[in-house]
């Protein structure tokens, strides 16, 4: 872009020239030469965000105002991770485009439901949210019949659910497997638990089918999942993660 410094234009050209199907041309900037472009290779998004925090703090120490510093991302969704990390370090952030809160996304709500169940919560709505994600063919009627009111809340019993399906051994096997999975993730840190939910329990398989059925962009859904999981790394328990989200 002619408004960029010559260093940025030169760095861009070094990438673009690798495309064999283009018209050869030299681009010039009308701006000054500028500072060299720094290329950083990070192990994961978390390391990248911490680098941004460090770089921005250094700029601010040199007298550059926050409003004169910008982070450019390929997609709007990719701005959420850096913004959350900057807010964590009390660096003021202004997002140009409104974007829905990450933890209002249905995948985040599903993950939280699984973690609550793993932590011993048997609230009817929590169970109903994920009992068929992936599909276990547990009916709402069965869940309602296996619940009772406790302190104004509908609470589900796995024993009652097994009794409901006592004449269908393949269904009791699925219920047993779900209970074993919940017990397994109850002892994991949040990042590992989400990984197990996605791959071990089969949530990613459900998401692929969900996206195909509703003609949704699976890549965007997976990107959101990855961001949620990445942001969960510092937390040992579902309760701590949920408190952070609140």
């Amino acid at each position: 872009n002619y408004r960029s410094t010559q260093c940025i234009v030169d760095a861009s050209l070094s990438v673009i020239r690798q495309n064999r199907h283009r018209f050869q041309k030299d681009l010039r900037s009308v701006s000054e030469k500028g500072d060299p472009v720094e290329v950083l290779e990070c192990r994961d998004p978390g390391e990248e965000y911490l680098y941004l925090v460090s770089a921005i703090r250094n700029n601010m120490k040199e007298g550059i105002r926050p409003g004169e510093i910008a982070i450019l991302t390929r997609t709007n969704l990719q701005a959420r991770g850096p913004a959350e990390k900057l807010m964590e370090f009390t660096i003021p952030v202004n997002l140009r485009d409104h974007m829905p809160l990450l933890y209002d996304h249905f995948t985040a709500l599903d993950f939280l439901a699984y973690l609550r169940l793993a932590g011993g919560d048997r609230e009817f709505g929590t169970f109903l949210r994920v009992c068929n994600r992936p599909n276990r063919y547990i009916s709402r009627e069965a869940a309602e019949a296996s619940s009772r009111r406790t302190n104004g809340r509908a609470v589900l019993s796995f024993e009652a659910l097994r009794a409901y399906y006592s004449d269908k051994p393949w269904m009791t096997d699925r219920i047993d497997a779900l209970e074993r999975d919940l017990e397994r993730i109850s002892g994991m840190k949040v990042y590992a638990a989400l990984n197990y939910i996605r791959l071990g329990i089969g949530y990613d398989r459900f998401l692929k089918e969900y996206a195909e059925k509703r003609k949704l962009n699976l890549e965007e859904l997976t990107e959101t999942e990855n961001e949620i999981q990445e942001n969960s790394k510092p937390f040992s328990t579902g309760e701590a993660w949920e408190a952070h989200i609140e």
Side-chain angles (χ1 to χ4, degrees), residues 73 75-77 79-80 83 94-100:
T73 58
T75 67
N76 285 351
L77 289 177
R80 278 195 303 222
N94 176 40
L95 294 172
R96 283 288 303 272
D97 297 298
H98 171 74
M99 60 185 73

Side-chain angles (χ1 to χ4, degrees), residues 177-196:
L178 172 57
E179 200 163 21
R180 281 195 303 272
D181 284 333
L182 292 174
E183 187 176 341
R184 196 165 285 142
I185 64 177
S186 68
M188 297 178 180
K189 290 188 176 181
V190 178
Y191 183 88
L194 297 190
N195 203 55
Y196 186 82

Side-chain angles (χ1 to χ4, degrees), residues 97-109:
D97 297 298
H98 171 74
M99 60 185 73
L101 291 173
L102 178 64
Y103 301 110
D104 282 343
H105 195 272
F106 77 88
T107 53
L109 299 176

Side-chain angles (χ1 to χ4, degrees), residues 107-125:
T107 53
L109 299 176
D110 289 348
F111 290 155
L112 284 168
Y114 265 115
L115 292 175
R116 287 172 186 158
L117 290 171
D121 187 346
R122 293 294 179 266
E123 200 268 329
F124 172 77

